[in-house]
Amino acid sequence: MTMRIATTIAEIRAWRAEADRAAGGRAAVGLVPTMGYLHAGHVSLVARARAENARVAASVFVNPAQFNSAEDLARYPRDPERDAALLRDAGCDIVLMPDPAEVYPPGFQTWVDVGPIAAPLEGAHRPGHFRGVATVVLKLFGIFEPARAYFGQKDYQQLAVIRTLVRDLDVPVDVVGCPTVREADGLAMSSRNARLGPDDRRAATVLHRALRAAEAAWAGGERDAGALRARMAAVFAQEPRAAVEYVSVADAATLEELEAVRGPALLSVAAVVGPVRLIDNIVVREPLRA
Ligand code: PAF
């Protein structure tokens, strides 16, 4: 199967027009926005998009506006040729791989200012991050005009920010959250994992271990959020290679920190392991009663 590689917005618009003509109306396009260096998690998003849409598009763009430091941006792993091969094999029809100047041309000055949903957790530790994410995602929605867009739940707050953006700004896109894909030892797949050396790679499972410990305590009846945070902190305390940034038990809808868990709750963690900052989460919710 062939896949087109586009570098300009004009090419995407022409592809879109052609797809609509062929469909005799609006072609249902599924979009998978990425920053590249793809892994099995991204491939699962493309597979889902393939199953649910007539056409599948992806973007590979390391968005400078969502990085907090020039060093982090420069070190972000990139391999566009491998990305293109993975996308093609997963059934993608077209990928946009633009230069930053195509996305942010001279004179660019309009930004999406996200509200309280972007304030805690990642927002508190990465000032301006979600402004950059929301702006580029809204631009991608304008460029591709997808029926559906696919995002991983590993970036839970990002998904919440994008859902809020779509609701508040009446963007006609169905935002689809997809399960986190994990390595066999529980580590959540992330492009950043590629930068972990062997010892740090082993240590990186601490994020998932901490979450599982809190989840087990919750399953055993613990509903005190402070006690659940303490469970996670205790697991991190056993791993000298990890510098924990936060352990959180928050309302799964508002992301506000909880004192007692009464409904769906987001257990989330962030830590620096060796040279890499990692995040992970699990949602706990009471089983539905018959
Ligand atoms: O999750 C990512 O890879 C990025 O934040 C996204 C959604 C592609 C925006 O740059």
Side-chain angles (χ1 to χ4, degrees), residues 33-35 61 63 66 133 136-137 151 155 158 162:
T34 82
M35 296 209 300
F61 178 58
N63 175 29
Q66 69 187 77
V133 169
V136 82
V137 167
F151 300 89
D155 295 300
Q158 168 171 284
I162 293 165

Side-chain angles (χ1 to χ4, degrees), residues 79-98:
D79 192 342
E81 282 175 19
R82 183 174 160 276
D83 289 344
L86 283 169
L87 289 169
R88 188 197 54 228
D89 293 351
C92 184
D93 295 310
I94 190 165
V95 58
L96 175 63
M97 294 181 159

